[in-house]
Amino acid sequence: MKNILILLIALLLSINVFAQHAHFAKSGTIEFEKKLNVYTLISKAINKDNEAFLTPALDAYKKANPQFKTLKSTLSFADNKSLFTPLEDDSAPNFFSSNPVITQNNTIFEDLSTGMSVAQKKVFDATFLMKDSTRKIKWKITDETRDIAGYTCRRANAIVMDSIYVVAFYTTEIPVPGGPESFSGLPGMILGVALPHENMTWFATKVTVTGIEPNTIAPPKKGKPVDSKSFITALKATFKNWGDEAPMYYKTFSL
């Protein structure tokens, strides 16, 4: 009798877990962690013009900090709209704290029905408000799967900005074609993104399925209005005289 009761309880629990996913979430909040390999990212920035001060600064950083830095963000979604919001970095300040390569610079709203995006982008002391279409990514879906935050996800690969290799994992259990930052366009919510050659990842740690009023998911409003073309022009002007460091920073703010 005891064994039968245990079996029934286990069966009820499994049915409950299945039911939570079976209705397919269309609104809620996803918590993401972004991990950056700081040692490698800073090493890439060292060149003959800055090695005299960057090399000892990196050595000091390594003695006091782990190799990987973790940053947190949220993605709220409802009515086929999403809002990606970085959370404040609560780690202890250090020499590289304000370096944009190892911070989060974008707040991004996407209307996935109309293909419209509004991105608030912080470039040092300037803030831009870029209104444009959502990024068009040519994904190649594979058969590889993995579990992320309790959801079965399928892998897809792509190239963005001509040379950046992207690995994404999406779930059809959340039938919203969104994702962290400006990664979207798959047949389900993206819960994991890796840029292997850029030494960074975003992975969901928790998905809270809940009703959200669509009007609470609204685009950011502060910043100098630009489109993608004028934003790129502004970036090129900013980094025109930055020498070997220019491509890294250009890539950071363009993602």
Side-chain angles (χ1 to χ4, degrees):
M1 184 60 132
K2 184 178 179 181
N3 290 337
I4 294 174
L5 285 173
I6 293 173
L7 182 61
L8 285 172
I9 290 170
L11 181 60
L12 287 171
L13 287 173
S14 64
I15 291 173
N16 183 52
V17 170
F18 175 77
Q20 288 178 3
H21 292 275
H23 69 284
F24 297 110
K26 293 185 179 180
S27 67
T29 301
I30 305 170
E31 298 175 24
F32 280 94
E33 284 189 349
K34 179 182 182 180
K35 291 189 180 293
L36 304 116
N37 187 336
V38 179
Y39 293 2
T40 300
L41 286 167
I42 299 302
S43 293
K44 288 179 177 180
I46 296 175
N47 56 52
K48 57 181 175 54
D49 295 322
N50 61 31
E51 61 183 356
F53 67 90
L54 267 191
T55 298
L58 178 57
D59 290 340
Y61 181 89
K62 288 181 177 180
K63 292 177 182 178
N65 299 276
Q67 181 174 359
F68 291 90
K69 180 176 182 177
T70 301
L71 299 169
K72 297 183 179 181
S73 57
T74 61
L75 181 72
S76 300
F77 62 98
D79 195 31
N80 228 31
K81 298 179 177 67
S82 67
L83 180 65
F84 176 80
T85 308
L87 302 182
E88 187 174 348
D89 181 8
D90 58 3
S91 60
N94 57 70
F95 183 83
F96 297 109
S97 293
S98 60
N99 190 314
V101 175
I102 57 173
T103 58
Q104 297 191 105
N105 309 297
N106 304 323
T107 299
I108 300 177
F109 167 87
E110 290 189 330
D111 186 327
L112 300 160
S113 296
T114 64
M116 183 269 289
S117 170
V118 179
Q120 184 184 69
K121 289 177 168 283
K122 296 180 179 179
V123 181
F124 298 112
D125 294 331
T127 301
F128 295 89
L129 195 65
M130 187 173 78
K131 297 183 180 181
D132 217 313
S133 56
T134 54
R135 173 179 276 164
K136 301 297 185 290
I137 303 176
K138 294 182 179 180
W139 295 105
K140 293 183 179 180
I141 297 173
T142 75
D143 293 328
E144 181 181 339
T145 61
R146 65 180 292 181
D147 181 88
I148 301 175
Y151 288 81
T152 300
C153 298
R154 178 169 294 221
R155 175 174 173 169
N157 306 322
I159 300 291
V160 299
M161 294 172 58
D162 297 325
S163 62
I164 298 178
Y165 179 58
V166 182
V167 176
F169 291 91
Y170 72 94
T171 178
T172 54
E173 294 172 48
I174 305 177
V176 179
E181 292 279 356
S182 56
F183 298 104
S184 59
L186 281 164
M189 182 64 74
I190 296 173
L191 297 183
V193 174
L195 309 184
H197 304 302
E198 314 307 317
N199 309 108
M200 63 185 69
T201 63
W202 293 260
F203 277 93
T205 57
K206 183 180 180 181
V207 177
T208 302
V209 177
T210 183
I212 294 180
E213 290 295 326
N215 57 7
T216 64
I217 301 179
K221 296 180 179 179
K222 294 182 179 181
K224 179 182 177 180
V226 292
D227 58 17
S228 58
K229 185 177 180 179
S230 55
F231 179 68
I232 294 302
T233 299
L235 286 183
K236 288 181 177 178
T238 299
F239 302 118
K240 181 174 62 176
N241 299 316
W242 282 52
D244 293 339
E245 294 181 61
M248 179 181 66
Y249 285 105
Y250 175 79
K251 186 183 293 184
T252 295
F253 290 117
S254 298
L255 270 176

